[in-house]
Amino acid sequence: MFGLIDCNNFYASCERVFNPSLNGKPIVVLSNNDGCVIARSNEAKALGIPMGEPAYKLKELFEKGQVHIFSSNYVLYGDMSQRVMSILASMAPDMEVYSIDEAFLMLDGIPEPEKFGRKLVKTVKQGTGIPVSLGMASTKTLAKVANKFAKKYPAYKNVCIIQTDEQREKALKLLPVGDVWGIGRRITKKLNYYDIKTAWDFTQRSKSWVRSQLGVTGERTWLELRGTSCLEMEQTATNKTICTSRSFGERLSDINSISEAVCNFAASCGEKLRKQHSYANSLMVLLQTNPFDTSRPQYYVQEMVQLPAPTNDSAELVHYARLVLERIFREGYHFKKAGVIVMDIVPERPLQTCLFDNRDREKFAKVMETMDKINARYGRQHLRIGSQGFDRKWKLKNEKLSPCYTTSLNSIIDVSAKE
């Protein structure tokens, strides 16, 4: 049996954990540079606030609905996600992290799965403050279906299990086909053309018809909805490429400010490589102006460099990122975005590297290890490479950013008790 556990309104829930006065009040979280709505609480959804809408268009609705607005705090959300996942990993026999707020669980061998599920949901809520919903079924796709019902209907108390054909039929008849995991808008439109409105309608078509219309992937979804498991648990794979890029809070035309941003992006890529114990063979820097600003000249460029040896050394990545930037930068443009991508990632550094590589890699590996330990203890970027700078003109606009309660000593909540 599979389980799919999903954090309810995750970003909004993270904000509420440390500010309980927000419970029951509408919350929205905005994208980078406070641009668009990327997360909403149920109360915000009830006000008719659409996902992806630019924030400036909703100013009147925000004020009328007394909506609490937050800039995206990915440091907080990432740390809270790790806390949730660590609890799940300690309780479930096997787990596959699917996204920042979702995970599949393998529940085979659990004698009382529903009782176990309720204990799991309760433990996560008590341990992190994050409310979660759990769907359980014989396939991953049906577990996704069960999770939707666990979220939607309060009577389930955040846990829904599909065990019998009768339960499966009832659930699929209530589920629009467009809500099935793996069926997007284009396929939904096609299925609706053939008068397939619900997930149950889809399962009543023949296997050969599904194969001819939707191919192997569609057939797999059809089988999963009928109770035949086709998708196994997957172990977390090492990323083959890692990208760190940002839109600037203001348009930048001087190379010094852009260089500071690029150095920070390169250092971040190095940190991510070390976390997954891998090494990159090549690096790319990209730079672009705002394509929507037709009043100014446009420029978009990206250039890659082959590294002398596989590395996860932030100092080395910063060095090569700066060299590339100096080659591609052009005066007279107002740049909106830059990024660094590390590629050709391998799980370990080969013993034999370039004959002309004279870098003391063991020494710098110890330096990076020490830097990571200090930053883990005292806060991210407490210790950094000098070229990462402190100017930060490139920093994202985040006027409504909440504190990083769990990762910054300066943001720890003060609690006082009266006798």
Side-chain angles (χ1 to χ4, degrees):
M1 177 173 284
F2 294 94
L4 187 278
I5 197 152
D6 187 10
C7 300
N8 301 342
N9 303 316
F10 181 56
Y11 290 176
S13 294
C14 288
E15 301 292 351
R16 282 173 168 159
V17 168
F18 301 97
N19 190 353
S21 65
L22 296 173
N23 290 335
K25 297 178 180 178
I27 296 173
V28 299
V29 177
L30 304 179
S31 63
N32 291 342
N33 282 320
D34 294 344
C36 303
V37 175
I38 59 168
R40 307 160 295 166
S41 66
N42 289 334
E43 296 81 4
K45 294 174 186 176
L47 291 174
I49 296 174
M51 184 73 86
E53 189 77 1
Y56 75 89
K57 291 185 178 182
L58 299 169
K59 186 175 180 181
E60 185 176 338
L61 183 55
F62 287 162
E63 293 175 353
K64 183 179 178 180
Q66 296 183 318
V67 178
H68 295 264
I69 307 166
F70 292 92
S71 303
S72 47
N73 189 341
Y74 296 120
V75 174
L76 174 65
Y77 307 151
D79 186 71
M80 293 300 291
S81 172
Q82 289 182 2
R83 292 169 185 243
V84 171
M85 298 306 169
S86 66
I87 291 176
L88 298 178
S90 69
M91 297 182 67
D94 191 15
M95 180 179 77
E96 173 194 334
V97 177
Y98 183 66
S99 68
I100 191 172
D101 62 346
E102 286 181 280
F104 283 104
L105 309 175
M106 173 54 73
L107 303 177
D108 284 351
I110 302 294
E112 298 178 88
E114 186 171 354
K115 183 179 179 181
F116 171 80
R118 297 199 180 281
K119 181 181 178 181
L120 190 65
V121 167
K122 183 179 179 181
T123 302
V124 173
K125 182 67 166 65
Q126 288 179 335
T128 66
I130 301 294
V132 297
S133 297
L134 174 63
M136 293 180 285
S138 58
T139 73
K140 278 187 169 182
T141 305
L142 284 174
K144 275 270 195 179
V145 173
N147 182 271
K148 287 182 179 293
F149 284 89
K151 271 189 170 183
K152 186 174 182 179
Y153 298 104
Y156 285 111
K157 297 180 180 179
N158 298 115
V159 178
C160 176
I161 183 168
I162 297 176
Q163 288 182 298
T164 66
D165 285 338
E166 183 182 357
Q167 291 171 334
R168 182 177 64 85
E169 179 179 342
K170 182 179 178 181
L172 297 185
K173 284 182 176 179
L174 292 172
L175 187 72
V177 71
D179 288 346
V180 174
W181 183 40
I183 295 182
R185 292 182 181 179
R186 182 181 61 83
I187 296 177
T188 299
K189 186 176 180 180
K190 183 175 184 177
L191 293 176
N192 287 343
Y193 173 80
Y194 289 104
D195 201 32
I196 298 173
K197 306 296 184 183
T198 67
W200 177 253
D201 295 337
F202 179 56
T203 63
Q204 298 312 292
R205 291 301 176 110
S206 68
K207 183 178 181 180
S208 58
W209 184 89
V210 173
R211 181 68 176 267
S212 66
Q213 296 294 324
L214 304 181
V216 176
T217 303
E219 180 185 350
R220 188 182 300 128
T221 300
W222 179 85
L223 287 167
E224 286 252 327
L225 288 174
R226 291 171 66 92
T228 300
S229 179
C230 302
L231 302 172
E232 300 299 324
M233 296 288 285
E234 297 179 5
Q235 300 300 318
T236 302
T238 299
N239 292 330
K240 297 302 181 184
T241 62
I242 293 175
C243 174
T244 302
S245 64
R246 297 285 187 278
S247 294
F248 304 138
E250 58 183 86
R251 302 295 177 262
L252 300 178
S253 57
D254 64 294
I255 191 171
N256 292 331
S257 295
I258 296 173
S259 178
E260 185 178 299
V262 167
C263 289
N264 275 273
F265 301 157
S268 177
C269 287
E271 183 181 350
K272 293 173 183 177
L273 283 168
R274 294 192 296 277
K275 280 186 177 179
Q276 68 175 36
H277 306 289
S278 59
Y279 302 81
N281 279 286
S282 56
L283 174 147
M284 177 184 287
V285 176
L286 60 91
L287 191 61
Q288 73 175 73
T289 55
N290 183 359
F292 301 104
D293 187 355
T294 56
S295 65
R296 289 175 173 167
Q298 299 296 311
Y299 180 61
Y300 173 83
V301 64
Q302 60 184 32
E303 185 171 313
M304 186 181 75
V305 62
Q306 193 72 24
L307 301 171
T311 184
N312 59 18
D313 179 349
S314 290
E316 187 174 19
L317 294 172
V318 164
H319 169 73
Y320 284 99
R322 291 181 69 187
L323 291 179
V324 174
L325 176 64
E326 289 171 2
R327 290 202 296 266
I328 65 176
F329 176 80
R330 298 290 182 273
E331 296 282 355
Y333 293 95
H334 291 77
F335 292 100
K336 176 191 177 184
K337 184 178 182 179
V340 173
I341 306 172
V342 291
M343 299 170 290
D344 304 324
I345 295 174
V346 294
E348 58 184 21
R349 190 173 64 233
L351 295 176
Q352 179 65 48
T353 58
C354 175
L355 292 174
F356 302 101
D357 179 25
N358 58 5
R359 188 176 182 83
D360 189 340
R361 299 197 172 275
E362 295 302 322
K363 173 184 173 181
F364 279 97
K366 292 178 181 178
V367 172
M368 291 297 108
E369 182 182 359
T370 301
M371 186 171 75
D372 290 341
K373 287 180 179 179
I374 291 173
N375 288 336
R377 181 172 181 179
Y378 295 104
R380 192 167 181 267
Q381 291 199 352
H382 187 85
L383 184 64
R384 69 181 78 176
I385 297 166
S387 54
Q388 290 182 249
F390 296 92
D391 185 24
R392 303 258 162 166
K393 287 182 180 178
W394 53 272
K395 192 175 181 182
L396 289 171
K397 178 183 177 183
N398 48 12
E399 296 175 348
K400 300 184 182 296
L401 186 68
S402 56
C404 296
Y405 300 102
T406 61
T407 56
S408 173
L409 289 173
N410 296 327
S411 299
I412 291 178
I413 296 176
D414 294 326
V415 178
S416 58
K418 295 181 179 180
E419 294 185 359

